[in-house]
Amino acid sequence: MLKLHNYFRSSTSTRLRAALKVKGLDYEYLSYALLKGENRGADYLAKNPAGLVPSLELDDGTVLTQSLAIIEWLEEMHPEPALLPADPVGRARVRSLSYMIACEVHPLNNLRVLQHVESQFGGDKAAWFRHWVGVTFAALEAALAGSADTGRYCHGDTPTMADLCLYAQVWNNKRFEVDMAPYPTVTRIFEALDALPEFVAAAPPNQPDAV
């Protein structure tokens, strides 16, 4: 069985949990309390030298890291149901929407950055978080609202990799009390995703290590 090394509150972990649920794949849930530094232990660092979550450990002991790389691997190994469109332009759009969150919001707002902003510079980490969400979510809302390719979800009427990223990020936004009123399309898509059992099962509050 696949082993998922993750943390309930980690948005990257939420993305991957949702992908595994959509693909109908079972996995062993292994949790690491990031606030306690459990991801910095020698055993885990031997699997993932960056000490980040999630990691997906395969039956043969191979360890895959970086959530979007793992999702792309899942897509190649378990192509149905698809998380990327069949056409090249559609695939590029879904990747672009995914990267807006994974490469623009998340690197600035992950735990270690927020801790550094607070401890080294005395900054307000919640205000920092909300600022950088706003910068990208304004563009994300425009991209989604202004495209005929947007359907019930980010791209058409079936969930894609972009929806995995959007869903996970909005859960993070809730923790930091981000005002979602300026993002009605994002909110509508999140609510549609949150009605799907696969996504509900992946949500942070529904994990065994949730506190």
Side-chain angles (χ1 to χ4, degrees):
M1 180 182 290
L2 298 170
K3 295 180 180 179
L4 177 62
H5 302 266
N6 78 139
Y7 177 54
F8 82 100
R9 195 173 277 158
S10 154
S11 63
T12 51
S13 297
T14 302
R15 294 174 200 162
L16 184 52
R17 290 194 299 264
L20 289 163
K21 294 294 184 182
V22 169
K23 297 289 189 182
L25 299 173
D26 293 328
Y27 56 86
E28 180 183 352
Y29 188 103
L30 301 170
S31 64
Y32 298 79
L34 303 190
L35 292 175
K36 297 179 180 179
E38 291 179 357
N39 55 312
R40 306 305 303 177
D43 287 348
Y44 186 63
L45 289 175
K47 298 179 184 295
N48 182 343
L52 301 175
V53 293
S55 298
L56 188 68
E57 188 171 353
L58 310 186
D59 291 342
D60 66 359
T62 299
V63 177
L64 306 180
T65 63
Q66 294 293 333
S67 64
L68 294 192
I70 300 171
I71 291 166
E72 294 261 11
W73 177 86
L74 288 172
E75 186 74 353
E76 293 175 2
M77 299 301 295
H78 305 276
E80 297 296 333
L83 289 169
L84 289 169
D87 65 293
V89 171
R91 293 167 83 88
R93 179 174 184 264
V94 166
R95 287 187 173 111
S96 175
L97 294 170
S98 302
Y99 298 165
M100 289 178 76
I101 295 170
C103 300
E104 296 174 22
V105 178
H106 179 260
L108 290 165
N109 282 347
N110 63 40
L111 178 62
R112 59 184 179 174
V113 170
L114 295 177
Q115 289 176 331
H116 191 71
V117 166
E118 186 176 54
S119 65
Q120 297 299 311
F121 304 108
D124 182 339
K125 64 182 181 182
W128 170 280
F129 183 99
R130 289 191 289 267
H131 171 77
W132 291 113
V133 166
V135 169
T136 295
F137 264 51
L140 179 63
E141 173 68 25
L144 291 169
S147 174
D149 291 322
T150 302
R152 181 170 178 80
Y153 307 112
C154 288
H155 190 85
D157 295 326
T158 57
T160 65
M161 184 167 70
D163 296 289
L164 306 176
C165 295
L166 180 149
Y167 186 74
Q169 183 59 49
V170 172
W171 268 109
N172 255 12
N173 291 0
K174 289 174 179 286
R175 287 179 51 228
F176 287 89
E177 300 181 340
V178 172
D179 179 9
M180 294 296 293
Y183 320 116
T185 310
V186 172
T187 299
R188 174 185 64 76
I189 292 170
F190 172 82
E191 291 173 350
L193 293 166
D194 203 39
L196 299 175
E198 297 86 355
F199 280 77
V200 172
N206 300 326
Q207 306 315 304
D209 56 330
V211 294

